[in-house]
């Protein structure tokens, strides 16, 4: 598998992963997925020097997509890396590790003090949580969502 930078011509392939993720994560209660808005958001990430977008490719087919961004801490003048989107068609731990290593290295180059990786409760399992722990992550917080 090849990990490479997202390109403009990949956007509609990546939209497929976004739709799959949105449905599987159970986000429909947060509103219907707007494909145009999603494409605009990913394009903005692609064009930003504060974001890193990668695709995983196998046999010239995109098999995964990841997007990360930087944000300034609300408590200090430091940068923190955030995972926005991480989806692989297969549960390939080797590829996931390589992708996370690229994320971490990029954050180090940008002088971040920490990196964050979210997990959607409807998608996580013990294997995934153990994977994150082995990569050096510790569980810090949980977000709750309520539709209104």
């Amino acid at each position: 598998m090849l990990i490479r930078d997202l390109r403009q011509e990949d956007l509609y392939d990546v939209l497929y992963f976004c739709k799959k993720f949105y449905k599987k994560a159970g986000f429909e209660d947060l509103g219907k997925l707007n494909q145009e808005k999603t494409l605009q958001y990913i394009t903005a990430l692609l064009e930003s020097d504060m974001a890193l977008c990668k695709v995983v490719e196998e046999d010239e087919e995109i098999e995964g997509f990841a997007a990360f961004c930087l944000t300034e801490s609300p408590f200090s003048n430091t940068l923190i890396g955030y995972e926005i989107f991480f989806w692989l068609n297969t549960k390939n731990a080797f590829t996931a590790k390589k992708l996370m290593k690229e994320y971490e290295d990029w954050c180090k180059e940008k002088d971040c003090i920490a990196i964050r990786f979210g997990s959607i409760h409807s998608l996580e399992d013990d294997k995934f949580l153990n994977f994150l722990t082995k990569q050096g992550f510790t569980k810090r917080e949980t977000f709750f969502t309520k539709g209104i």
Side-chain angles (χ1 to χ4, degrees):
M1 288 203 185
L2 168 73
I3 297 172
R4 64 168 175 79
D5 290 337
L6 175 69
R7 298 186 291 243
Q8 191 75 31
E9 61 265 23
D10 299 325
L11 290 176
Y12 284 95
D13 290 328
V14 164
L15 181 61
Y16 162 79
F17 291 102
C18 294
K19 291 191 300 191
K20 192 171 180 178
F21 169 78
Y22 196 79
K23 183 175 182 160
K24 193 134 182 153
F27 286 164
E28 287 96 351
D29 64 331
L30 301 178
K32 186 176 184 235
L33 178 78
N34 182 317
Q35 293 184 33
E36 186 176 317
K37 171 122 177 131
T38 302
L39 287 171
Q40 288 172 353
Y41 183 76
I42 296 168
T43 299
L45 290 172
L46 180 61
E47 295 171 354
S48 172
D49 64 345
M50 296 290 280
L52 176 70
C53 298
K54 295 286 185 176
V55 294
V56 176
E57 196 175 77
E58 184 172 23
D59 299 325
E60 298 184 21
E61 294 289 323
I62 294 177
E63 294 293 330
F65 167 61
F68 311 98
C69 73
L70 305 176
T71 188
E72 191 170 299
S73 168
F75 307 108
S76 65
N77 293 326
T78 56
L79 288 175
I80 299 171
Y82 280 87
E83 167 265 342
I84 298 171
F85 193 91
F86 192 93
W87 185 273
L88 296 174
N89 264 350
T90 60
K91 300 212 178 209
N92 183 322
F94 178 75
T95 303
K97 284 180 196 176
K98 280 181 64 175
L99 199 49
M100 291 182 75
K101 176 85 170 100
E102 288 198 30
Y103 165 46
E104 185 172 340
D105 289 348
W106 176 73
C107 287
K108 285 178 182 176
E109 288 173 19
K110 299 287 190 175
D111 293 324
C112 290
I113 61 156
I115 57 175
R116 300 189 70 178
F117 199 93
S119 97
I120 308 298
H121 290 286
S122 62
L123 299 176
E124 72 186 25
D125 56 21
D126 288 340
K127 194 173 181 179
F128 178 70
L129 296 176
N130 288 336
F131 171 77
L132 288 177
T133 301
K134 286 179 182 176
Q135 302 312 305
F137 290 88
T138 56
K139 194 170 186 174
R140 283 264 173 105
E141 59 189 85
T142 300
F143 289 97
F144 293 88
T145 303
K146 177 183 176 183
I148 53 172

